[in-house]
Amino acid sequence: MSGLDVVFRARRVITTAGESARAVGVRNGRIAAVEPFDADLTAHRVVELADDEVLLPGLVDTHVHVNEPGRTEWEGFATATRAAAAGGVTTLIDMPLNSVPPTTDVAALEVKRAAAEGQCHVDVGFWGGAVPGNVAELRPLHDAGVFGFKCFLLHSGVEEFAPLNAAGVENALRELRSFDGMLIVHAEDADAIDHAPSAHGENYGDFLVSRPPDAENVAIAQIIELARQTGARAHILHLSSAEALPAIASARRDGVRISVETCPHYLSFCAEEIPNRGTQFKCCPPIREAANRELLWRGLADGVIDCVVSDHSPCTVDLKCLDVGDFGVAWGGIASVQLGLSAVWTQARPRGHSLVDVVRWMAERPADLAGLRHKGRIALDYDADFCVFAPDDAFVVDASRLRHRNPVTPYAGRPLAGVVRGTWLRGEEVAGDQPQGRLLRRGAA
């Protein structure tokens, strides 16, 4: 085949058929050929991967808080997407909070798009928000190209994004069912949290009991029943409690349209290892015990958990309250969009998982979840988005060298396996300060 723009040759390529030696040809930003390694493909440029490198599809991270506009000092499109690219992520979808305004109507979506325009180093799409009083805004937001709608069942942490009660969730689901939209849910029950001990002080164990597993389990059961009653699609965000997995599996067998994600930090850390005053580890729902972590890994292996995404939720250094170490007042969020692939690979490999598994969890299934028809796979007519990954290399995380805006992460000082050596977006290497990402719309990506 001739007339290609670039050909990638690698002894290890993760395609939809598994891992093998392949030559991958690119034309006009799309994959035009996937052939045996020695196939006669000619192009203007040939990229030959080193023997220790693997060509992966670019990762798809459907859970990122960019926070711009309004809280750009926390993060921003330029910094978040540069960090994503450094971690092999070529597509991210931005959450409707903690920006100001939140993405709860079309006018706010256009403000968000205007802020992102010309700043993005990877492709970026947007979630909408479902909040009290905006049911009439959901269809216009859907038509304007958001990928689905996020809601909270308890206080979101910011005043401008209020939670839905049970009736509000049902109303949103019935509206979304009318056009096959999807509700993505921060599933912690407000009443269960209110009746738990309050979060306070330096001891991580005290924080952990303030967000008990039952808060997730009850909320997830409620969402399952409402999805069952309405026939709408629902997705559980950042699953922490492995106790909810049997209910999710049972609901699926019954035909309920429910999916679920977890995050690298729930698969990497455990409560027993989190030090007192270690507020860089605070997130909601919380990192739980080691036994729970192993059950999450089993849920991934069994296919009950669909995907692994970052929930990159950064803030300024002062909001983490590292000086006083008080879990009750520190902001809850993990900054990790650059580190997800290495973090997951570090834990996956000793548990017997392959890069094929990791690609399924972090590229294929997130793309499927969002309806990104040309992302997440090395296959014909898909976008030529690639990650060049050295799985046998390693590094120690230096927070000061990460690309997100504020140098706070619980991974600081942690050794991780696997190094991202290059990221390519539509056949062009992501390098330097020239943004080349596009803003994506549902149905057009």
Side-chain angles (χ1 to χ4, degrees):
M1 180 178 289
S2 61
L4 298 171
D5 300 317
V6 59
V7 170
F8 294 81
R9 294 188 190 274
R11 295 292 179 184
R12 299 178 65 187
V13 180
I14 307 299
T15 72
T16 53
E19 180 181 317
S20 57
R22 284 287 182 262
V24 181
V26 177
R27 182 187 296 117
N28 297 326
R30 291 279 179 90
I31 297 171
V34 181
E35 300 289 342
F37 179 83
D38 293 323
D40 185 18
L41 301 182
T42 60
H44 299 293
R45 182 179 183 186
V46 176
V47 178
E48 296 186 358
L49 272 63
D51 288 344
D52 68 336
E53 295 175 341
V54 186
L55 189 68
L56 313 181
L59 304 188
V60 177
D61 192 340
T62 54
H63 196 148
V64 177
H65 292 268
V66 177
N67 304 333
E68 186 176 9
R71 291 188 174 94
T72 310
E73 70 275 14
W74 293 18
E75 190 61 282
F77 285 102
T79 50
T81 59
R82 192 178 286 116
V89 175
T90 52
T91 303
L92 64 83
I93 304 186
D94 173 53
M95 284 291 164
L97 72 163
N98 304 303
S99 57
V100 181
T103 315
T104 54
D105 57 35
V106 173
L109 174 63
E110 293 309 316
V111 170
K112 180 76 71 81
R113 284 182 171 144
E117 190 69 47
Q119 291 203 76
C120 298
H121 295 266
V122 301
D123 288 354
V124 174
F126 302 95
W127 297 110
V131 296
N134 86 324
V135 169
E137 303 292 343
L138 302 182
R139 182 59 187 258
L141 277 166
H142 177 82
D143 292 343
V146 301
F147 287 84
F149 301 88
K150 181 175 186 176
C151 75
F152 278 75
L153 307 184
L154 76 173
H155 195 285
S156 69
V158 293
E159 296 299 329
E160 64 275 1
F161 200 94
L164 295 178
N165 59 22
V169 172
E170 181 176 356
N171 289 339
L173 284 169
R174 292 194 183 282
E175 176 67 8
L176 297 182
R177 181 68 180 89
S178 70
F179 52 84
D180 200 31
M182 180 171 62
L183 190 69
I184 64 174
V185 184
H186 182 122
E188 287 183 286
D189 181 72
D191 189 59
I193 298 292
D194 288 344
H195 284 84
S198 61
H200 65 280
E202 302 176 357
N203 185 281
Y204 184 76
D206 291 337
F207 169 66
L208 188 60
V209 298
S210 77
R211 316 290 293 213
D214 275 352
E216 284 188 85
N217 304 338
V218 169
I220 289 169
Q222 178 186 57
I223 295 301
I224 287 171
E225 287 311 304
L226 290 172
R228 189 192 308 273
Q229 293 168 21
T230 61
R233 290 190 293 155
H235 176 74
I236 303 302
L237 298 167
H238 45 49
L239 180 71
S240 163
S241 172
E243 294 176 8
L245 290 172
I248 294 168
S250 177
R252 282 197 185 139
R253 289 192 295 269
D254 292 342
V256 178
R257 303 168 75 194
I258 189 87
S259 54
V260 60
E261 68 187 40
T262 193
C263 304
H265 42 278
Y266 300 128
L267 299 170
S268 297
F269 304 116
C270 62
E272 294 92 335
E273 298 173 353
I274 294 177
N276 290 344
R277 300 173 59 91
T279 52
Q280 66 271 28
F281 291 87
K282 181 182 175 180
C283 56
C284 299
I287 296 163
R288 304 194 187 278
E289 296 85 356
N292 180 84
R293 177 182 61 187
E294 296 313 307
L295 291 173
L296 292 176
W297 275 105
R298 185 179 302 174
L300 270 175
D302 293 344
V304 181
I305 298 175
D306 297 273
C307 54
V308 181
V309 292
S310 70
D311 189 11
H312 178 71
S313 185
C315 64
T316 54
V317 175
D318 61 298
L319 289 177
K320 272 297 186 183
C321 300
L322 299 171
D323 53 341
V324 295
D326 189 333
F327 285 96
V329 296
W331 175 258
I334 301 290
S336 63
V337 69
Q338 185 173 335
L339 298 171
L341 175 57
S342 297
V344 170
W345 178 237
T346 298
Q347 299 294 323
R349 182 166 57 177
R351 290 174 172 84
H353 297 293
S354 70
L355 283 173
V356 172
D357 298 322
V358 173
V359 164
R360 182 171 66 254
W361 301 328
M362 303 188 75
E364 293 179 7
R365 287 183 175 173
D368 292 344
L369 170 75
L372 291 160
R373 297 172 296 176
H374 299 284
K375 300 288 189 182
R377 289 171 169 83
I378 296 179
L380 293 179
D381 203 37
Y382 276 69
D383 285 354
D385 299 346
F386 305 122
C387 167
V388 177
F389 188 59
D392 297 323
D393 203 351
F395 67 105
V396 175
V397 177
D398 179 349
S400 69
R401 300 185 66 181
L402 298 177
R403 303 294 183 88
H404 65 261
R405 186 176 299 278
N406 292 287
V408 179
T409 179
Y411 293 94
R414 192 175 182 90
L416 295 180
V419 173
V420 175
R421 292 185 179 167
T423 302
W424 298 70
L425 184 66
R426 286 183 299 277
E428 298 288 337
E429 190 167 14
V430 181
D433 293 324
Q434 185 59 43
Q436 54 187 339
R438 298 176 181 174
L439 303 185
L440 306 177
R441 294 173 183 258
R442 180 199 48 76

